[in-house]
Amino acid sequence: MELLEQIRAFQPWNPQEERDRAELLRRLGSGEALYTRDNASAHLTASAWVVSPDRRQVLMAYHNLYGSWAWLGGHADGERDLLAVALREVREESGLTRVRPVSPEVYSLEILTVDGHEKRGVYVSSHLHLNVTYLLEADPADPVRRKPDENSAVGWFGLEEAVAASSEPWFRERIYKKLNAKLALV
């Protein structure tokens, strides 16, 4: 299913998802180039909320750029299958080889602000990540490893501990708590 169709079919869980869904549909329908970082003001990203099979743990990485424990994910970079992007990013960022979607459907939608920053010695202007989140599953017994150019640690947390581990208040309150609360629906 095309991303536009997936987002049209997505049922918002709260006002944040409702408003962000409307903006994502508007931007995708505008013909704006969103699948690559060539669009310096806004581009598509995919994130993963990686949970254990019993839904009691979540995988987080300590992201060097943000100085915080956070979910895993990355830029579409031309790929139109954002579930594939989420799976690829989890494998690259955590070293997990056995990770699978709980469902191929979109789990959550977010429009995320990214402050200007330096990346590999080049300044990147402030912009938006038009983010699509997927619910993935992996076994906490499987080995993980860090990806030194992106994170300095990867680990499993209890659901509440994962929220508390983030040093980004907006993510804690608006994103991670929401993702955990939605697990009751799965």
Side-chain angles (χ1 to χ4, degrees), residues 85-107:
V85 172
L87 287 162
R88 179 192 73 219
E89 291 292 329
V90 168
R91 290 177 183 123
E92 287 178 3
E93 292 180 8
S94 72
L96 283 172
T97 57
R98 296 185 317 142
V99 59
R100 68 168 195 84
V102 172
S103 164
E105 296 173 9
V106 172
Y107 184 60

Side-chain angles (χ1 to χ4, degrees), residues 76-89:
D77 285 337
E79 172 66 61
R80 297 182 93 73
D81 180 348
L82 293 190
L83 176 55
V85 172
L87 287 162
R88 179 192 73 219
E89 291 292 329

Side-chain angles (χ1 to χ4, degrees), residues 45-48 63 70-75 85-86 88-90 93 131 150:
T45 57
S47 292
H63 283 273
W71 56 8
L72 292 86
H75 294 87
V85 172
R88 179 192 73 219
E89 291 292 329
V90 168
E93 292 180 8
N131 194 65
E150 290 190 28

